Amino acid sequence: MTTTADTRTMQRRTVQTHCPYCALQCAMNLTVTERPGEPDTFAVEGASFPTNKGRLCRKGSTAAELLTRRHDRLTSPLLRGEDGELHPASWDEALEHVATEIRRIQGERGADAVGVFGSGGLTNEKTYALGKFARVALGTAQIDYNGRFCMSSASKASTLAFGLDRGLPFPLTDLDSACTVLLLGSNVADTMPPFVQHLEGARATGGLIVVDPRRSNTAELTAEGGGLHIAPAPGGDLVLLLSVAQVVLEEGLADADYLQQRVSGLDSFRRSVTQWWPERAQSLTGVGADQIRLIARRLGHAARAARNGGDPVYILTGRGVEQHKDGTDTARAAISLALLLGLPGTRAGGYGTLTGQGNGQGGREMGQKTDQLPGIRSITDPADRAHMARIWGVEPEALPGPGRPAAQLLHTMGHDDGVRALLVHGSNVAVSAPDAARVVENLRALELLVVADFFLSETAAEADVVLPVLQWAEEDGTMTNLEGRVLRRRKLVEPPSGAPSSAGSGTDAPDSGPRSELWIWHELARRLGCSSAFPVEPAEVFAEIRQATEGAAADYSGLDWQLLDDGHAAYWPVPSALLGGESSLTGEPIIGTSRMFLERFAHADGRARLAAITPGRTPAPAPGELTLTTGRHMEHYQSGTQTRRVAALLDAHPEATIAVHPATALEHGLEEGTDAVVANAQGEMTARVVWDAGIRTDTIFAPFHYAGQGTANLLTRALTDPQSGMPEFKNTPVTIRPAGAPGAARSETTSSKETTP
């Protein structure tokens, strides 16, 4: 941190930190100027860093605006009174109420009657402490997080194929030299714009292949000789990949030596893809047989050249192919294709999945996932349970087993077979979860709903207790980006102080002002009589993480904050603090493992796994139906709790829209700029019609950032992947019709209370 005093009345301080949004975790210099008696002002500029190369997107460049927002920032705990409204309360009063209700509910219904819902936006320290709090202080198995809606299919597929889940098992800068990149189901030009710099090499050779049912801004990068855009029908990606694999095998484009030396299961996989010759696959994918063969040949010839010293080839997947009821199999098919080509664990290229949330990678490593303990340890493995029991000071048999994955947890809560109390941290499930109307109904059926947030989100508006917490620049911690690189989040300012509560203050808790979740869990654990320690300082929690993950797959034991502050590039696993050489592109000293699987994969025999993949039959839409797929705008993030409060971002996309091909719009009587109702058995959403000639005529697209009747997840179903628990966000049958008079008013909240700006 640097500090300068320009005058006797002004102070300016700067830290280098990382963006609070996506998993690219762009580096930025954040400066605060403080003048006595005046509000602080902030300035943001991109900092030199390998992932963003000094650039920021619109979200990152405006991120500091939320630090100055005061009129709707939560600064005091809120308790719902007998009048049904939320009222300010002291911290002591709020936490004592939560502890009392937890004791009552668990006493009547058992430990698993209380559930916890976390987030891929929490720091590593808070993620770790949340998992510990659930399993030790609450003794509940019912913990999961919103990463189940993001990375679960890719995580499961990577674990099955490689024996380990790391989104990108290589530095992002390795893509810079690629001649060919197959990018499936990811609109990086909108979701993480600085990423596009790493695709320039592939574009220059005409080797960028983008698979997306609409011509997104990323697909547009293939124009003017940049590559190829393939537009399959939603849900057709799995058969498309299997058919490409069939051509690679049939035409002798696979790397036979690599497969013999490093992979098992080829015969089983080969038999399963034999039936998917391109002429058969085209009827299910909507992609012509000639295009399928073109993809296979481009990849096959480029990979062969890469193995002989040419530029590398990469296959990357995103949520577009993973958020399906067969998302794990689709991600496995992409990995299988990469293995056929001899890419993973070599200098010829590789496979990776693009993590979405800011700490999506660390968030699934540190123990908030219902089936995992810190370090990607298994909650059902006796040795892993024994290790964590020693760290936490409990007996192994006291630790609960796996609970319900996120969608099942949310869709059963409030009922006899589900949790009766839920603690939500860093997630807005009223907007982001599938079958959102059912989720809101279930939230209202709970005996206790506690939400920790820094704004009154649509979920917080339903809570019995709301706990104000810190924003990104008000706390220290670590994050793990999409490459498995551990980064330091640095504190710059103190949080705003809250107005004193009329309810008075307890002697053991500050009366007002946002608090770290670490402090909240410490206080609740104490009130619940838990004997295990819950440190409140992030550095102390990180030291415990090092012990907890020692010897695990995601090993952080060789790290400390000083090494991160000194500029070392740290990629887990880091079993010791020995330096591993220099980065070939940046010259940064490296700790840990920047490139995975160079010698062996993480299965016991060191080999990657191929296995048979058999697609289920996906029924075609009924007559008159279209397929709804969801995604993001460049200017908004997740449920929009943050970005809908930034004027420049909200002005760019102020309301929910539905993208429709002009031919489809004319068929259904939809005029551009008017309202349409999109409906199915789950519910209805209302959105403004946008004509888009780049989308398939059988497909419509809606962003999922909006509340009220613009909530796209009012339509998505509770169908989940049986292997990963991932809901099917990308393939929802719907009908569409004009809403009536153009510009009809629409509600913008899912609660009876106004919560949006």
Side-chain angles (χ1 to χ4, degrees), residues 420-650:
R420 304 309 296 262
L422 186 68
L423 282 64
V424 180
H425 297 271
S427 187
N428 188 12
V429 296
V431 174
S432 63
D435 198 356
R438 180 181 175 187
V439 169
V440 172
E441 179 182 337
N442 288 354
L443 289 173
R444 294 171 180 170
L446 290 167
E447 297 177 42
L448 176 68
L449 174 61
V450 182
V451 177
D453 212 326
F454 32 82
F455 296 114
L456 194 69
S457 69
E458 288 72 25
T459 304
E462 301 292 342
D464 300 293
V465 184
V466 180
L467 303 176
V469 294
L470 304 181
Q471 289 198 69
W472 58 292
E474 299 163 354
E475 65 179 1
D476 280 303
T478 63
M479 308 283 279
T480 304
N481 78 348
L482 77 173
E483 313 161 292
R485 177 168 174 163
V486 186
L487 308 168
R488 276 279 281 114
R489 171 176 283 184
R490 295 180 174 90
K491 178 178 178 178
L492 178 64
V493 293
E494 295 295 329
S497 60
S501 164
S502 60
S505 173
T507 59
D508 57 351
D511 187 61
S512 59
R515 296 287 176 262
S516 169
E517 287 96 330
L518 296 178
W519 179 86
I520 292 171
W521 298 322
H522 171 89
E523 286 295 311
L524 285 175
R526 180 177 66 82
R527 284 170 164 83
L528 292 169
C530 179
S531 60
S532 294
F534 282 85
V536 299
E537 292 298 327
E540 294 181 35
V541 180
F542 189 79
E544 190 172 318
I545 287 173
R546 294 174 61 193
Q547 297 177 356
T549 62
E550 185 173 9
D555 190 337
Y556 283 52
S557 64
L559 286 175
D560 62 44
W561 282 26
Q562 188 60 54
L563 287 170
L564 298 175
D565 282 341
D566 287 346
H568 292 82
Y571 300 85
W572 69 259
V574 193
S576 73
L578 297 176
L579 298 185
E582 296 286 320
S583 165
S584 61
L585 295 178
T586 67
E588 297 173 291
I590 293 176
I591 301 173
T593 313
S594 62
R595 295 177 181 86
M596 305 287 289
F597 313 134
L598 293 180
E599 296 181 0
R600 67 192 314 275
F601 293 99
H603 288 297
D605 61 2
R607 300 172 72 87
R609 299 280 193 269
L610 287 170
I613 300 176
T614 304
R617 294 288 180 175
T618 301
E625 284 188 337
L626 300 168
T627 299
L628 169 70
T629 188
T630 63
R632 298 179 183 175
H633 283 315
M634 178 188 292
E635 288 82 5
H636 287 300
Y637 182 71
Q638 300 297 81
S639 71
T641 301
Q642 298 169 86
T643 54
R644 283 188 275 122
R645 287 176 163 84
V646 177
L649 303 180
L650 185 63

Side-chain angles (χ1 to χ4, degrees), residues 708-727:
Q709 285 304 114
T711 302
N713 283 319
L714 292 170
L715 301 167
T716 53
R717 300 168 292 179
L719 296 175
T720 56
D721 183 313
Q723 300 180 78
S724 67
M726 170 70 80

Side-chain angles (χ1 to χ4, degrees), residues 128-253:
Y128 171 85
L130 181 61
K132 178 181 178 181
F133 176 78
R135 295 180 174 106
V136 177
L138 296 177
T140 182
Q142 304 308 329
I143 175 173
D144 210 35
Y145 76 125
N146 62 13
R148 183 72 63 176
F149 304 154
C150 180
M151 292 303 304
S152 57
S153 289
S155 170
K156 183 67 174 179
S158 293
T159 302
L160 290 171
F162 301 139
L164 183 66
D165 162 32
R166 200 175 91 180
L168 290 186
F170 49 81
L172 183 59
T173 49
D174 283 5
L175 295 177
D176 294 349
S177 60
C179 68
T180 303
V181 175
L182 173 61
L183 183 59
L184 299 121
S186 180
N187 184 17
V188 290
D190 282 354
T191 59
M192 46 181 71
F195 184 103
V196 170
Q197 301 169 89
H198 302 287
L199 300 176
E200 291 302 320
R203 290 183 68 201
T205 63
L208 178 61
I209 306 172
V210 176
V211 178
D212 197 308
R214 64 190 184 107
R215 194 162 181 85
S216 64
N217 286 328
T218 303
E220 192 60 38
L221 297 174
T222 64
E224 299 179 355
L228 181 66
H229 172 216
I230 304 295
D237 308 285
L238 175 55
V239 171
L240 173 65
L241 285 163
L242 296 179
S243 187
V244 171
Q246 190 273 340
V247 175
V248 167
L249 289 167
E250 180 71 19
E251 298 190 0
L253 299 171

